[in-house]
Amino acid sequence: MTSHTQGARDEILGKVRSALSGTAPTARPPIPHGSAPDDVVALFAERVADYRAVVERCTERQLPPRLKAALPEGRVVVPAGLSVQVPDAVVDDGLTAAELDACAAVVTDATVGIAETGTIVLDHGPGQGRRAITLVPDVHVCIVRTDQVVADVPDAMPRLDPTRPLTWISGPSATSDIELDRVEGVHGPRTLHVLLVG
Amino acid sequence: MTATFVGMPRFPVAAKAALADTQLRRNLAHATATIRDKRARVVAEVDNWEELRLAGAAIKDAALFSLDTQLVLLEERLTAAGATVRWARDAAEACAIVAEVAQAHDIDEVVKVKSMVTLEIGLNEALEAEGIAAWETDLAELIVQLGDDLPSHILVPAIHRNRAEIREIFQRRMTGAEGITDEPAALAGAARTHLREKFLNARMAVSGANFAVAETGTLVVVESEGNGRMCLTLPEVLVSVVGIEKVVPTWEDLDVFLRLLPRSATGERMNPYTSTWTGVTPRDGPQEVVVVLLDNGRTRALADQVGRQALRCIRCSACLNSCPVYERVGGHAYGSVYPGPIGAILNPLLKGVGTDPQVDSLPYASSLCGACFEVCPVRIDIPSVLVDLRAQVVDAHRARRWGGIPSTQTVAMKGAAVTFGSGRRLGLAERFARLGTGVASRFGASGWTSARDLPRAPRESFRAWWRRTDGGRS
């Protein structure tokens, strides 16, 4: 830390302390939980589909053919620790952004699915890979197991490790910047295909 | 961006010009009505919304009331996770730090995640002065930057533009966009193509943060398009400028805000992408991570016992979308990157009152209807803060008035006190009321009557009628 920053640090903290002199710490109410839905997995599928993502439910045995059908023509990249075999896929070993841009699709596992909000969280562990691989290719096929699906955001928090980078994904890339109308397809993957297994 | 808010006129002057722009009013009415409906629908889905608001407010208060310890903890955890923490007292210091990091790597071009705080400190202009180009990558910020325009909304800075105007800007400023249609999907596609190469080659990114978790040193960016992910993931160097009020104490606290913010902001159950990162992750994302903790008036706001609640703000924009004043005049009239009801309190709180007439005019840019408080996800009582700031503005001017010459308002209030203090004096005043209102509307009170009707006093006052009719009995 430079001395310049040290002076700023001391001054800011000093001003914070003097602004707070005479205040008492406030009480905190418990964090509220919503009511749990009857069928968490069905709600998850419905809410993900609401974002105009493709959602398919299948068994473990049906997964390989469904996966094959979901993939577009072209190069497919996968993380080294993916839970299923994808024939002819390129295993990411530190591909450059330009090399990833030449890939048509990526297949990954997930960490948590959140039913209420239709959200998938990746913690970029072995089955999910570096953040860049699920960002640059235009199609993201994501495998979510039904036992990974929780009811709402507060149920997801304890399953997540904040020291890892996390990406929360709710549908394909979208924007509401033109007349506040949501349209899909800006910089992230324009197609999100979720295979819900189990 | 060459446009600037510096030198903007006072709110009433700017508002008058904005009200004459019928295209602007049509664009705003359409956009704010759309977003209000969407918000109402997804908020109604949550059965304990009010409890969530209370929790959101309480968590932010807990963070603010222990801000010194939270900031020290945040710094410690960030540093332990491989980030470099720098502190900046004001805009100039923060901009200098960002420029210094770029120069240390010989970088003359940075990509930017949409960030209110970097607009607040005028980072793009400061970097430009150092020969560093800053590219806005959020679609709305890009529209504003390419149009040499100013942002007019916190969440959707180009809300004042409709699709036809956006197409015109893109055709003028983007290569290959000549034949584009005004379909939002086509316009979004053009932005994707335009920025793709920038993302793939960028060496440094600048972001803000929606939240900073003290106990873990985690920063959070909430976004839609994936431009944020591009900036946070692909470059080698990442500098995040974070206002010191962005701190939340614990990881679990984040849950409440991830439920409150998307519903309040874009009216979605969840925004498309949220990224969280804690310092440097080996072999994944930027390997140099710098976090600039910025004051720039926040400690001044924290010292204001009524106004400090404004520091709870999570920049959702629900107050803008629900405000009848904002809907009619738009964001530019507020003369700041923070427009609308929250801007009307945040600007005076950050900058102080009594020195800049433009800032002093903002607490009056409201009818005090209370719609902003009703929708605020962290329950900022904006009307109460506005009223308190009005008193502060009056006090500041009273104290500064030299030679003891009182203002028209002070004279009027003093006169009213004398008149209402005695039945005889009031009776006398009533006899001249008809004459008085006529004169007032032409001269003394013309500032009031230019936009409102001054009621005509009745021919006979109530007290005179009572005397004449013996209280209605004769």
Side-chain angles (χ1 to χ4, degrees):
Chain A
M1 200 190 306
T2 65
S3 59
H4 168 72
T5 295
Q6 182 66 44
R9 179 187 192 272
D10 294 347
E11 192 179 318
I12 293 168
L13 288 174
K15 280 183 171 176
V16 168
R17 285 178 191 126
S18 84
L20 291 175
S21 66
T23 59
T26 53
R28 292 184 43 176
I31 292 179
H33 265 63
S35 47
D38 296 334
D39 187 342
V40 173
V41 176
L43 182 66
F44 174 73
E46 181 194 313
R47 293 281 161 95
V48 174
D50 261 3
Y51 295 123
R52 278 172 269 194
V54 185
V55 184
E56 282 185 82
R57 293 191 66 167
C58 65
T59 62
E60 199 70 52
R61 206 170 49 80
Q62 291 166 325
L63 180 59
R66 293 291 182 96
L67 192 55
K68 188 159 182 271
L71 289 170
E73 291 277 311
R75 244 172 134 200
V76 177
V77 62
V78 296
L82 188 68
S83 62
V84 291
Q85 289 291 319
V86 181
D88 306 322
V90 181
V91 177
D92 173 52
D93 57 355
L95 299 176
T96 65
E99 285 166 333
L100 286 171
D101 200 32
C103 293
V106 57
V107 183
T108 70
D109 293 314
T111 304
V112 174
I114 304 171
E116 181 66 32
T117 60
T119 303
I120 295 160
V121 189
L122 308 182
D123 74 359
H124 303 283
Q128 298 153 57
R130 293 181 302 139
R131 285 174 281 173
I133 69 165
T134 38
L135 174 61
V136 182
D138 207 10
V139 176
H140 179 193
V141 181
C142 189
I143 301 164
V144 181
R145 318 269 162 186
T146 49
D147 62 1
Q148 292 181 313
V149 179
V150 298
D152 202 352
V153 181
D155 309 300
M157 300 308 281
R159 292 193 179 207
L160 298 169
D161 176 1
T163 63
R164 303 189 61 84
L166 301 174
T167 306
W168 301 52
I169 298 172
S170 306
S173 155
T175 182
S176 302
D177 280 354
I178 299 165
E179 300 177 9
L180 282 166
D181 204 6
R182 180 170 165 136
V183 294
E184 284 76 24
V186 201
H187 304 294
R190 287 184 283 195
T191 303
L192 175 67
H193 195 128
V194 178
L195 293 171
L196 188 50
V197 185
Chain B
M1 189 164 59
T2 51
T4 166
F5 278 115
V6 176
M8 279 285 284
R10 290 179 308 117
F11 181 82
V13 179
K16 204 162 188 173
L19 284 169
D21 186 341
T22 51
Q23 180 68 62
L24 175 75
R25 291 184 62 174
R26 250 201 310 273
N27 294 354
L28 281 169
H30 170 69
T32 53
T34 306
I35 194 72
R36 280 198 302 268
D37 289 351
K38 284 170 75 177
R39 179 199 164 275
R41 257 201 314 273
V42 294
V43 165
E45 275 182 11
V46 181
D47 45 21
N48 54 1
W49 184 252
E50 190 56 26
E51 278 174 65
L52 265 183
R53 289 178 79 209
L54 286 163
I59 292 167
K60 277 286 188 173
D61 277 349
L64 290 170
F65 285 12
S66 59
L67 191 57
D68 51 339
T69 47
Q70 301 293 344
L71 288 170
V72 170
L73 181 61
L74 176 68
E75 179 188 40
E76 183 194 309
R77 295 295 146 89
L78 277 166
T79 309
T84 307
V85 176
R86 306 283 300 267
W87 298 71
R89 276 169 282 222
D90 54 27
E93 280 188 0
C95 292
I97 293 169
V98 180
E100 192 187 299
V101 174
Q103 281 155 353
H105 292 272
D106 263 336
I107 286 168
D108 60 4
E109 191 172 275
V110 302
V111 286
K112 280 188 69 200
V113 185
K114 175 174 165 15
S115 135
M116 291 310 297
V117 76
T118 59
L119 294 180
E120 174 193 324
I121 62 175
L123 181 66
N124 293 6
E125 295 75 13
L127 290 179
E128 200 180 306
E130 296 288 326
I132 302 161
W135 301 101
E136 293 291 351
T137 64
D138 169 76
L139 179 55
E141 292 288 4
L142 181 70
I143 295 164
V144 169
Q145 191 176 42
L146 292 179
D148 287 330
D149 201 352
L150 288 166
S152 70
H153 191 274
I154 291 174
L155 184 74
V156 195
I159 196 172
H160 56 291
R161 299 288 196 188
N162 65 23
R163 58 185 74 188
E165 294 169 284
I166 295 166
R167 175 173 72 159
E168 190 274 320
I169 293 167
F170 280 13
Q171 283 176 330
R172 201 153 38 82
R173 299 293 303 272
M174 273 182 192
T175 43
E178 293 80 13
I180 196 176
T181 69
D182 67 359
E183 276 304 303
L187 295 168
R192 178 185 169 98
T193 312
H194 177 74
L195 288 170
R196 196 77 180 171
E197 205 187 298
K198 288 259 178 282
F199 286 134
L200 298 183
N201 297 315
R203 294 180 53 213
M204 171 168 158
V206 179
S207 81
N210 292 90
F211 307 99
V213 183
E215 71 162 3
T216 59
T218 306
L219 298 191
V220 182
V221 161
V222 175
E223 55 135 352
S224 293
E225 296 165 18
N227 64 307
R229 291 178 68 192
M230 289 280 179
C231 293
L232 301 171
T233 309
L234 298 182
E236 306 150 30
V237 182
L238 171 63
V239 182
S240 304
V241 183
V242 182
I244 54 173
E245 85 286 16
K246 294 289 169 193
V247 177
V248 296
T250 71
W251 175 247
E252 276 72 29
D253 293 336
L254 199 55
D255 150 45
V256 172
F257 299 103
L258 292 180
R259 285 189 277 166
L260 285 169
L261 179 55
R263 286 186 157 92
S264 301
T266 47
E268 295 168 300
R269 297 188 184 108
M270 192 61 90
N271 51 293
Y273 299 131
T274 296
S275 296
T276 76
W277 72 100
T278 304
V280 174
T281 307
R283 294 173 302 283
D284 184 355
Q287 297 298 295
E288 179 171 341
V289 172
V290 180
V291 178
V292 183
L293 296 176
L294 174 76
D295 181 349
N296 207 32
R298 283 154 179 79
T299 50
R300 179 204 288 271
L302 188 65
D304 186 310
Q305 289 184 23
V306 179
R308 60 166 63 121
Q309 57 183 305
L311 296 176
R312 299 203 294 248
C313 177
I314 54 173
R315 311 283 190 260
C316 72
S317 304
C319 64
L320 279 62
N321 302 331
S322 66
C323 175
V325 176
Y326 178 88
E327 183 179 342
R328 283 160 185 82
V329 304
H332 292 157
Y334 295 82
S336 159
V337 298
Y338 302 112
I342 188 64
I345 61 172
L346 203 52
N347 288 295
L349 286 165
L350 293 176
K351 297 171 187 166
V353 297
T355 49
D356 181 346
Q358 196 276 328
V359 172
D360 288 357
S361 73
L362 291 175
Y364 297 90
S366 168
S367 65
L368 304 178
C369 76
C372 47
F373 180 32
E374 247 170 65
V375 296
C376 177
V378 287
R379 300 185 96 260
I380 301 169
D381 184 355
I382 295 177
S384 294
V385 181
L386 283 166
V387 170
D388 188 69
L389 284 167
R390 288 179 187 186
Q392 290 186 29
V393 169
V394 171
D395 285 344
H397 285 269
R398 186 185 293 131
R400 285 165 47 84
R401 197 162 283 281
W402 47 268
I405 301 167
S407 70
T408 323
Q409 192 183 7
T410 312
V411 172
M413 286 301 169
K414 286 243 166 77
V418 170
T419 310
F420 287 111
S422 136
R424 191 182 62 81
R425 283 197 290 269
L426 182 58
L428 210 62
E430 280 165 355
R431 281 208 263 155
F432 296 102
R434 272 178 77 78
L435 178 67
T437 51
V439 174
S441 58
R442 263 166 226 248
F443 304 104
S446 56
W448 171 270
T449 56
S450 65
R452 306 171 186 84
D453 292 328
L454 191 63
R456 274 179 76 77
R459 287 188 182 284
E460 186 178 33
S461 74
F462 174 76
R463 287 152 52 98
W465 169 84
W466 185 276
R467 263 199 311 276
R468 180 170 61 75
T469 62
D470 189 20
R473 279 187 281 271
S474 67

